[in-house]
Amino acid sequence: MKKHRISRHDIREQKDVSISSSNAKSNSLGMSKLAKSQPNEAEITAGYFHKYEVPAFLIFVSSFILNCIKLHPSLLGGDSGELIFAAYELGVAHPPGYPLFTMLAKLFMTVIPFGSIAWRVNLLSAFCSALNSAILFITVYRLTFQYGAAIFASFVFSYSPLVCVWSVTAEVFSLNNLLLSYIMLTAVLFDAGSKESLAKISLIGSFLSGLCLTNQHTSILYIIPLIPWVFYKLWNKQLFTVSLLVKQGVSFLCGLSPYLYLPLSSWLHVARWTWGDSSSLRGFLKHLLREEYGTWDLLKDHTGQGFATGLIAYINHLLIDVSRGVFALAVFSIFSIYSRYRSRHSSVLLVFGLMLLTYISFFCWRANLDINKPLFYKVVERFWIQSDLILVILASQAFADICSYLKSRLNLQNLSLDIIIVIPLLSTYILSGWSACDQSGNFLIQDFALQMLHKFPKGSIILTKGDLPSNSFRYYHFIENVRPDLSLFDQEVLTYEWSLPMTSKFTPGIKFPGDLMHLYSGVRSDGKRTFTFKDLLDANYARAPIFACIGAQEHDSAWKASYELWPFGVCWQFVDKGRKLDTNLWTNATAGVADDWMYPWTSFDDGSWENVANSEMWRAKTVTAYFYLEEALALPEGSQDYVKLLLESYKLYTIEIKKHTIYPAYWHRNYAIVCERLMREKTPLDELMLLGKTIEHFKQFVLMEPGDADAEKLHKAIRSLEDYKNSLTTS
């Protein structure tokens, strides 16, 4: 029999183990006793870790049930409608395309035989979130070997308000959380793995890293710190070879393979809506690198608040949404990182800490949106979910260490102190955030889209602008087949060269007078014909009513010389400037556009798309009245048309104000202006009554908007009007 020869490398490894054991005995947090409870390599090989399989499965089932209970029943605002439609018709979503999410969403649409298309994709997010809860449980259990700490991590992350909301809607964040958790679990396994298993684990990690990048590019900030760590450990174990490096590269490329979907979709060209043309290498790279959005920015042509402001905002988010206790544990985990490295030479927590610092530093630097605006703040905060994931893992390690220390000091080794502490803690945590997570009754975006789509005249052309109308209208029109007589097109993408070649053939109701919209009409050197926005209106004006929702494009304003916008609910109709305004006809045409909107008004702006939709619909209730007021103010005072427009505006405002007890502050201001103007004219209306309404509604406005720029002027005007009223009543 051949004798086994002990190498110098093996002697060094045995010495490290001895040092590790010695350090463990002196660890101030009782890590030595924790280490004694941990399995050795033989126990791992023998299947010791089957102990976490059943709890992990139960976590998955319970999380999935909870997610289904609070699942969004319909369509969310923002990107959801576009992501769903891209999957439904095998198109491509906005850069970078999200091919993995698109294919999984298509799978869920096909396999699940019930529920709306939006609901099925919402279910995909719920499934990914539940699976992430289980993977997170396993990850922390492999780190701490404590069920309580693992449960703590799983539920604190999954049921923090920010994570929870995005776990029940059709978005890419739940899938991203799942992939990142898999990567971190792989890192934990790699850190504790035997020499024989490290190469195999590194290949799995390479594949997962590539796969993660097919869903969200920000995950590169997690992968970058892992690469040198993995290479160093492989080199230290004498496993770093050219052959392994090539295999890792191949595994990484296999993970990236879903991106082949982009050129395939462009080549098939069957989707009625798609973003970009990836059939060429240049088009593919442009989409992959997000050049149309700004490769290193969230959005193009925006300016953020700076690094310090972003960092402070993130810390405030942690203190409020994740909780002060979890934040404190995360800070305490600095000692856990040091203790773990000193006692066991385990560096995985240190790498996790570097990943967190890398991500937060880069994101606070490059997040170029003004977070003082609630809608932009909501966009930015979604990307904090990734950093929350690592922070919760670190906090869970600190939680485990504290429990181990207490058990050691209080001689409670036979007591599951971690579970005793975590159950009431998490129960309170979940219950406190349940209302924010529960989206089961949220039909607001659905009602917004359906109520507007049903109001347009037959055969209308709808030119949308912005995510809210573009994605919601598109989903219900194309997927749910609502108002098939309408023609929809996104006016924001008309300037992209791929826009008309990829989508115009699916919009026969609109005549495009060229190949590309531009500031000038003409023929380019490549033979493509350009046209202006005015040319587009001219080509279609006689064909059907044309509406802009919400607002008209701002790239080319030359059309304003020939057309103007008349309000139609949340939208505007393009009208020839030569057309005379007939208030009777237009009032009848717009009557009831927003009457069916029954959601209450709220002045609090939470930055959600629901708030945007609700605000737009409340504006729509009086938009015609305000339009008449603006038109009147452009005419000479005392003229017949001036008085007629004011009377029509007064009538419409009065009808709406009588319907509601709570409404926007600007209703009070505008109604007061109408009453004050009419008070000066000879009309059938009583002057004293108009004066009283003017004072009342100006007072209500400054009460609701004390910070308004004209507040001081309005206070003076109110005092003058009250003096005038007193003079009338006493005379």
Side-chain angles (χ1 to χ4, degrees):
M1 180 181 292
K2 187 176 181 179
K3 293 184 179 180
H4 176 67
R5 187 173 183 179
I6 299 177
S7 67
R8 183 176 301 175
H9 176 72
D10 294 329
I11 293 172
R12 188 182 75 245
E13 286 187 343
Q14 291 175 13
K15 183 178 179 181
D16 290 342
V17 172
S18 176
I19 293 172
S20 176
S21 299
S22 175
N23 288 335
K25 292 178 182 178
S26 62
N27 190 291
S28 62
L29 288 178
M31 290 296 293
S32 60
K33 296 193 175 184
L34 176 62
K36 289 180 181 178
S37 67
Q38 295 173 5
N40 57 34
E41 192 68 36
E43 289 175 318
I44 294 174
T45 306
Y48 174 90
F49 289 109
H50 76 278
K51 294 172 68 174
Y52 61 65
E53 293 176 359
V54 172
F57 178 73
L58 292 176
I59 292 245
F60 165 74
V61 172
S62 60
S63 296
F64 188 61
I65 291 173
L66 288 174
N67 288 343
C68 288
I69 290 173
K70 52 190 175 58
L71 190 68
H72 200 296
S74 184
L75 184 70
L76 183 72
D79 295 334
S80 291
E82 185 204 357
L83 291 168
I84 294 169
F85 191 56
Y88 183 74
E89 299 219 330
L90 296 177
V92 175
H94 65 274
Y98 308 100
L100 181 61
F101 180 87
T102 301
M103 290 187 286
L104 288 174
K106 184 64 175 179
L107 177 65
F108 265 65
M109 292 176 194
T110 306
V111 172
I112 299 173
F114 53 85
S116 69
I117 297 298
W119 183 87
R120 299 179 204 184
V121 185
N122 293 341
L123 195 65
L124 167 62
S125 290
F127 177 84
C128 290
S129 175
L131 192 55
N132 176 66
S133 298
I135 297 302
L136 194 53
F137 172 87
I138 296 171
T139 301
V140 174
Y141 183 77
R142 291 298 301 260
L143 278 170
T144 65
F145 306 104
Q146 289 187 20
Y147 287 121
I151 293 171
F152 177 87
S154 180
F155 281 89
V156 163
F157 177 75
S158 300
Y159 293 96
S160 64
L162 178 59
V163 176
C164 195
V165 167
W166 295 107
S167 297
V168 293
T169 55
E171 260 289 2
V172 299
F173 301 106
S174 286
L175 177 59
N176 193 55
N177 297 337
L178 173 61
L179 294 171
L180 289 174
S181 291
Y182 262 120
I183 287 176
M184 286 188 284
L185 173 58
T186 306
V188 171
L189 296 176
F190 183 80
D191 185 61
S194 64
K195 182 176 179 179
E196 293 75 18
S197 64
L198 291 186
K200 180 180 179 181
I201 296 173
S202 71
L203 294 177
I204 295 172
S206 297
F207 173 78
L208 289 172
S209 297
L211 196 65
C212 202
L213 290 173
T214 66
N215 185 62
Q216 200 156 335
H217 282 179
T218 51
S219 56
I220 189 67
L221 300 174
Y222 276 18
I223 297 168
I224 288 174
L226 283 171
I227 294 173
W229 176 69
V230 170
F231 285 174
Y232 171 76
K233 287 185 72 71
L234 291 172
W235 174 81
N236 197 40
K237 296 289 186 180
Q238 297 181 344
L239 295 171
F240 190 72
T241 63
V242 174
S243 174
L244 180 59
L245 190 60
V246 170
K247 290 179 181 178
Q248 287 175 332
V250 172
S251 295
F252 181 74
L253 291 175
C254 287
L256 287 175
S257 61
Y259 272 116
L260 295 174
Y261 170 85
L262 270 62
L264 179 61
S265 173
S266 295
W267 179 75
L268 291 173
H269 199 186
V270 296
R272 285 175 288 179
W273 166 255
T274 192
W275 188 293
D277 182 2
S278 298
S279 58
S280 67
L281 178 61
R282 177 63 191 136
F284 173 76
L285 291 176
K286 179 186 289 188
H287 203 82
L288 178 67
L289 298 176
R290 300 180 72 253
E291 290 182 14
E292 291 166 336
Y293 273 18
T295 299
W296 299 108
D297 298 324
L298 289 180
L299 285 176
K300 221 171 188 178
D301 303 324
H302 283 266
T303 302
Q305 296 298 293
F307 178 86
T309 302
L311 183 59
I312 292 170
Y314 177 63
I315 293 174
N316 287 333
H317 150 74
L318 292 177
L319 295 173
I320 296 171
D321 292 339
V322 181
S323 82
R324 288 176 172 81
V326 175
F327 180 73
L329 285 171
V331 173
F332 185 80
S333 70
I334 295 172
F335 299 100
S336 296
I337 293 171
Y338 171 75
S339 176
R340 187 182 181 93
Y341 181 77
R342 185 182 175 192
S343 65
R344 284 184 279 158
H345 283 249
S346 171
S347 53
V348 68
L349 287 182
L350 177 61
V351 174
F352 285 175
L354 290 174
M355 290 161 66
L356 176 62
L357 290 175
T358 302
Y359 182 85
I360 285 299
S361 299
F362 187 88
F363 188 74
C364 289
W365 172 45
R366 298 304 304 179
N368 64 323
L369 294 181
D370 183 359
I371 57 177
N372 289 321
K373 297 177 180 179
L375 184 62
F376 286 164
Y377 178 87
K378 284 290 185 181
V379 173
V380 169
E381 76 167 355
R382 303 173 204 170
F383 294 90
W384 292 339
I385 295 175
Q386 288 186 210
S387 47
D388 289 354
L389 179 60
I390 291 187
L391 187 131
V392 167
I393 290 176
L394 296 176
S396 302
Q397 177 68 63
F399 174 82
D401 289 346
I402 291 172
C403 288
S404 296
Y405 175 75
L406 292 175
K407 287 174 70 173
S408 174
R409 297 287 295 193
L410 301 175
N411 196 23
L412 299 173
Q413 280 78 6
N414 296 324
L415 188 66
S416 299
L417 185 62
D418 53 322
I419 296 179
I420 292 173
I421 294 174
V422 82
I423 290 178
L425 185 68
L426 288 181
S427 299
T428 304
Y429 188 87
I430 294 172
L431 289 174
S432 63
W434 182 265
S435 58
C437 297
D438 188 8
Q439 298 292 310
S440 59
N442 188 350
F443 291 94
L444 196 146
I445 300 299
Q446 171 182 292
D447 292 342
F448 168 83
L450 293 180
Q451 289 188 28
M452 276 310 306
L453 285 173
H454 284 300
K455 299 298 183 180
F456 292 114
K458 187 175 181 180
S460 295
I461 295 172
I462 317 299
L463 301 177
T464 59
K465 179 187 176 186
D467 287 344
L468 177 61
S470 297
N471 295 334
S472 63
F473 287 7
R474 189 183 300 130
Y475 170 81
Y476 287 103
H477 173 68
F478 287 115
I479 297 181
E480 302 289 349
N481 201 34
V482 175
R483 292 298 304 273
D485 59 294
L486 302 178
S487 296
L488 268 64
F489 205 87
D490 188 342
Q491 56 181 308
E492 289 282 271
V493 302
L494 276 170
T495 54
Y496 294 126
E497 296 211 12
W498 53 263
S499 175
L500 295 183
M502 295 300 294
T503 57
S504 61
K505 74 175 186 178
F506 301 110
T507 317
I510 303 177
K511 181 180 179 181
F512 296 100
D515 304 305
L516 172 70
M517 195 177 83
H518 198 269
L519 293 175
Y520 305 100
S521 304
V523 180
R524 300 194 318 184
S525 58
D526 59 3
K528 290 186 177 180
R529 289 180 299 127
T530 62
F531 60 91
T532 65
F533 192 68
K534 178 183 177 298
D535 294 334
L536 178 66
L537 296 178
D538 290 343
N540 292 277
Y541 189 76
R543 294 163 58 93
I546 308 174
F547 295 88
C549 303
I550 300 170
Q553 59 83 34
E554 299 167 355
H555 307 291
D556 172 19
S557 59
W559 61 269
K560 293 180 181 179
S562 302
Y563 298 94
E564 56 186 356
L565 295 172
W566 289 6
F568 188 86
V570 304
C571 302
W572 302 81
Q573 184 171 350
F574 290 96
V575 175
D576 192 322
K577 271 201 169 180
R579 179 175 171 181
K580 181 175 175 58
L581 175 61
D582 186 322
T583 55
N584 291 327
L585 287 177
W586 195 249
T587 297
N588 291 333
T590 60
V593 171
D595 279 357
D596 296 333
W597 191 255
M598 303 307 294
Y599 292 90
W601 164 256
T602 174
S603 58
F604 175 69
D605 185 358
D606 62 359
S608 67
W609 285 111
E610 285 81 2
N611 181 78
V612 174
N614 192 40
S615 298
E616 287 293 334
M617 290 302 287
W618 274 88
R619 182 187 63 81
K621 288 178 180 289
T622 61
V623 68
T624 302
Y626 181 67
F627 173 61
Y628 291 157
L629 171 60
E630 283 190 313
E631 291 292 304
L633 295 179
L635 298 173
E637 291 187 24
S639 65
Q640 184 178 358
D641 287 339
Y642 173 84
V643 175
K644 184 179 180 181
L645 285 167
L646 285 178
L647 285 171
E648 192 66 22
S649 178
Y650 172 82
K651 182 184 76 173
L652 295 178
Y653 268 122
T654 302
I655 291 172
E656 288 300 326
I657 284 173
K658 285 182 178 179
K659 289 180 182 178
H660 310 283
T661 55
I662 301 175
Y663 42 84
Y666 60 83
W667 284 23
H668 289 290
R669 179 196 60 206
N670 296 339
Y671 190 45
I673 292 172
V674 172
C675 293
E676 190 270 339
R677 291 280 177 159
L678 281 173
M679 189 178 64
R680 306 177 191 176
E681 306 296 333
K682 292 182 179 180
T683 68
L685 301 175
D686 181 69
E687 180 186 0
L688 195 59
M689 179 269 294
L690 290 172
L691 178 58
K693 286 188 174 184
T694 302
I695 295 170
E696 175 193 350
H697 288 279
F698 271 145
K699 281 184 174 181
Q700 285 297 319
F701 175 73
V702 295
L703 182 65
M704 295 173 70
E705 296 288 344
D708 186 78
D710 295 325
E712 187 58 34
K713 294 179 181 179
L714 288 175
H715 280 297
K716 292 180 180 179
I718 290 169
R719 287 193 291 269
S720 297
L721 290 169
E722 287 179 329
D723 291 342
Y724 178 59
K725 183 180 180 182
N726 290 333
S727 67
L728 290 177
T729 55
T730 56
S731 59

